Amino acid sequence: MTRAIIIAEMMAGGNSITIGKETFTPDAKRDGLLDLAYEAAVERHRLLPALDGGAKTDAYISPGWPTDEECARLAHKLTRGMVYSQAEASRIIESVDGYERPHVWSRQGIDRLLWDRTYGEKWDRFTYVEKSRTCVHLEGRRYLPGAHMGCMAVLGSTEEAKSYDASLSEPHSYVSPPMELSATLKLILDTGVYRTLFISESEVHFSSGAQRAVSYDLALYRGVQVVENGIHLTAADGKPTNNRILREGTELFVALRAHSNATITDETRSRAHAWKVATDLHARGNSLREIADHLNEEAIPTLSGTGRWSPSAVKKLLDSGPETDQ
């Protein structure tokens, strides 16, 4: 089943994948298991298309572990995923950091990275799913910017949604007017503002059964309760096998989406950028020493990623070109 999910995700992006001697393409014939996984993957990509990659940043990115946030992600993996102690994790990260930051590389420093202490409470920065004094974060709901708001998303009749909300012992803070399906799902995934997804006349809001199932599973995965025609749904499909296919596909899609959203490529730190700057300066008549000083001032990593630029390193860069990156 996991194999089918991975193949489907690759094909949904228009790619082919070869396993052993067997090649899978979007046009190839699929069995029932792979067909459901593929239909679901296509719907996820259609409803939540990839970002255009246009995000820019002026943040300084070092050759080592650049920021406390990046260090915290690694510390979380080491301590939660691989069960190292915080002291052991600090020694491991210190060995790859390349900078002397004693306030970080200690058990206390790792503890400060792993936990967020806001409003007088201690939250796990990366796996926060628990109760606070003011709100409940449902199981599966990650710590997102608007997770405390508790709104209701509506597909269909706003009047029916408000009538349903009025019957609850704990009404929602806000009943949102209907939006396009893709916009609703984006808010569910990226902001956490919704506590409930309310659907009336479900047959008119989805173009296919796969689209309905994918939408419901995305909501349920985020801990958003789904109410369809007044009935609470606990699963996107009536068959356990289909539910597992949907959930594994959702988990993979959301992980890849989160990685894409949280990854910043700073082209000014690349070898190609260093080569362009060096060739431009060289064409203007600057000496190798002057070019090296400029690259050091701009804090562009050297070819080895350590140390400082020298005239000989600049000559090597000019001779070798921009493509052979380390």
Side-chain angles (χ1 to χ4, degrees), residues 11 16-17 63 71 88 126 160-161 182 184-185 202 215 227 250 261:
M11 293 193 305
S16 63
I17 177 171
C71 295
E88 290 169 329
F126 293 94
E160 288 185 32
S182 59
T184 300
L185 292 178
S202 58
S215 300
V227 180
T250 294
N261 288 351

Side-chain angles (χ1 to χ4, degrees), residues 44-45 47-57 69-70 73 142-145 182 185-192 218 221-222 250 252-266:
R44 292 187 196 96
H45 283 271
L47 293 168
L48 295 162
L51 301 179
D52 60 8
K56 300 295 181 183
T57 178
E69 195 71 17
E70 190 66 34
R73 292 192 186 100
R142 303 300 185 260
Y143 184 62
L144 296 169
S182 59
L185 292 178
K186 187 177 187 304
L187 288 173
I188 287 174
L189 278 182
D190 298 338
T191 68
L218 284 168
Y221 173 76
R222 271 292 190 239
T250 294
L252 176 60
F253 177 82
V254 173
L256 292 173
R257 180 179 174 82
H259 182 273
S260 176
N261 288 351
T263 299
I264 296 172
T265 300
D266 188 344

Side-chain angles (χ1 to χ4, degrees), residues 26-282:
D27 299 328
K29 185 178 179 180
R30 299 179 290 271
D31 59 27
L33 191 71
L34 181 54
D35 194 53
L36 174 59
Y38 175 70
E39 285 185 18
V42 168
E43 286 297 340
R44 292 187 196 96
H45 283 271
R46 183 181 295 131
L47 293 168
L48 295 162
L51 301 179
D52 60 8
K56 300 295 181 183
T57 178
D58 295 326
Y60 174 78
I61 301 177
S62 77
W65 298 106
T67 64
D68 283 355
E69 195 71 17
E70 190 66 34
C71 295
R73 292 192 186 100
L74 180 59
H76 181 269
K77 182 176 182 61
L78 291 170
T79 56
R80 305 292 197 276
M82 303 178 72
V83 202
Y84 283 101
S85 70
Q86 291 185 355
E88 290 169 329
S90 69
R91 287 194 292 272
I92 291 171
I93 301 178
E94 183 179 20
S95 70
V96 298
D97 177 58
Y99 292 90
E100 293 185 4
R101 292 190 280 184
H103 66 289
V104 173
W105 312 134
S106 63
R107 186 191 63 77
Q108 294 82 1
I110 294 294
D111 185 74
R112 285 192 293 270
L113 292 178
L114 289 172
W115 298 96
D116 180 18
R117 294 173 173 82
T118 55
Y119 307 110
E121 298 187 55
K122 180 179 178 181
W123 311 116
D124 188 316
R125 186 179 290 186
F126 293 94
T127 58
Y128 171 67
V129 182
E130 59 181 272
K131 296 181 180 179
S132 73
R133 282 195 284 263
T134 59
C135 59
V136 177
H137 294 265
L138 301 177
E139 185 62 33
R141 234 176 152 194
R142 303 300 185 260
Y143 184 62
L144 296 169
H148 63 285
M149 295 181 66
C151 300
M152 179 191 289
V154 178
L155 294 175
S157 170
T158 303
E159 295 304 318
E160 288 185 32
K162 290 183 177 179
S163 176
Y164 169 80
D165 185 56
S167 69
L168 300 176
S169 58
E170 185 182 349
H172 295 77
S173 59
Y174 178 67
V175 177
S176 301
M179 296 185 294
E180 290 185 354
L181 178 60
S182 59
T184 300
L185 292 178
K186 187 177 187 304
L187 288 173
I188 287 174
L189 278 182
D190 298 338
T191 68
V193 298
Y194 293 129
R195 191 177 88 202
T196 300
L197 174 61
F198 182 91
I199 307 98
S200 63
E201 300 179 355
S202 58
E203 61 277 1
V204 304
H205 300 297
F206 304 104
S207 61
S208 66
Q211 189 179 84
R212 171 187 175 276
V214 161
S215 300
Y216 288 4
D217 194 68
L218 284 168
L220 292 168
Y221 173 76
R222 271 292 190 239
V224 177
Q225 62 181 345
V226 176
V227 180
E228 182 187 70
N229 301 327
I231 300 173
H232 285 257
L233 302 182
T234 58
D237 193 279
K239 297 180 180 179
T241 299
N242 291 355
N243 277 317
R244 184 179 164 194
I245 291 173
L246 290 166
R247 181 49 53 90
E248 285 204 25
T250 294
E251 289 172 348
L252 176 60
F253 177 82
V254 173
L256 292 173
R257 180 179 174 82
H259 182 273
S260 176
N261 288 351
T263 299
I264 296 172
T265 300
D266 188 344
E267 295 179 355
T268 65
R269 306 285 298 157
S270 67
R271 180 193 182 112
H273 177 73
W275 181 83
K276 184 178 185 305
V277 171
T279 52
D280 287 348
L281 292 175
H282 188 61

